[in-house]
Amino acid sequence: QVQLVESGGGLVQPEGSLRLSCVGSGFTFSRSPMSWYRQAPGKERELVAHIGTAEDATNYEPAVKGRFTISRDNGKNTVYLQMNRLQTHDTGVYYCQAAAWYGNNWHPTWGQGTQVTVSS
């Protein structure tokens, strides 16, 4: 079964930090580009960060560049999002997304999401 499971969300004060984790299973993780998206209340889901199969191939939504870092550990089938200097506008549900490689093709796959709330 192809699956992504996120963890690490929660309530944090402005200027605080959180680290999200996403564990993949049922597909070849090392061949699968990974992304983090977020959806704020009343808004569309947006791409926050992306990492290719090469660990140094990253890109970020401009508002998070310099504050968030995406990384991956292929040995653990896990992608991380380190979020520093969090602001209230970072509040939302954060989703892990994979271009999951299985069956000789890439398949868009989503996790269930984890809530991040930034508030004093």
Side-chain angles (χ1 to χ4, degrees):
Q1 181 183 2
V2 178
Q3 194 173 13
L4 296 171
V5 179
E6 302 106 328
S7 61
L11 173 65
V12 63
Q13 293 187 341
E15 298 297 319
S17 297
L18 282 175
R19 187 175 83 155
L20 306 182
S21 301
C22 171
V23 180
S25 59
F27 61 97
T28 304
F29 187 86
S30 61
R31 296 192 64 178
S32 304
M34 302 294 297
S35 301
W36 285 98
Y37 285 73
R38 70 182 173 195
Q39 188 164 19
K43 296 189 177 181
E44 293 187 354
R45 194 173 297 187
E46 63 176 356
L47 177 65
V48 174
H50 173 83
I51 186 166
T53 54
E55 294 184 16
D56 59 350
T58 60
N59 57 69
Y60 297 91
E61 193 265 333
V64 308
K65 199 168 186 179
R67 298 189 298 123
F68 290 13
T69 303
I70 188 170
S71 62
R72 64 190 298 156
D73 184 338
N74 290 336
K76 295 182 178 180
N77 283 8
T78 302
V79 63
Y80 303 99
L81 186 67
Q82 177 67 44
M83 305 185 293
N84 298 328
R85 304 200 321 268
L86 283 158
Q87 306 299 322
T88 55
H89 61 257
D90 294 315
T91 292
V93 179
Y94 283 70
Y95 296 91
C96 178
Q97 192 257 2
W101 176 261
Y102 63 93
N104 290 322
N105 207 345
W106 286 277
H107 303 268
T109 302
W110 293 88
Q112 82 286 353
T114 185
Q115 176 70 45
V116 171
T117 302
V118 185
S119 175
S120 55

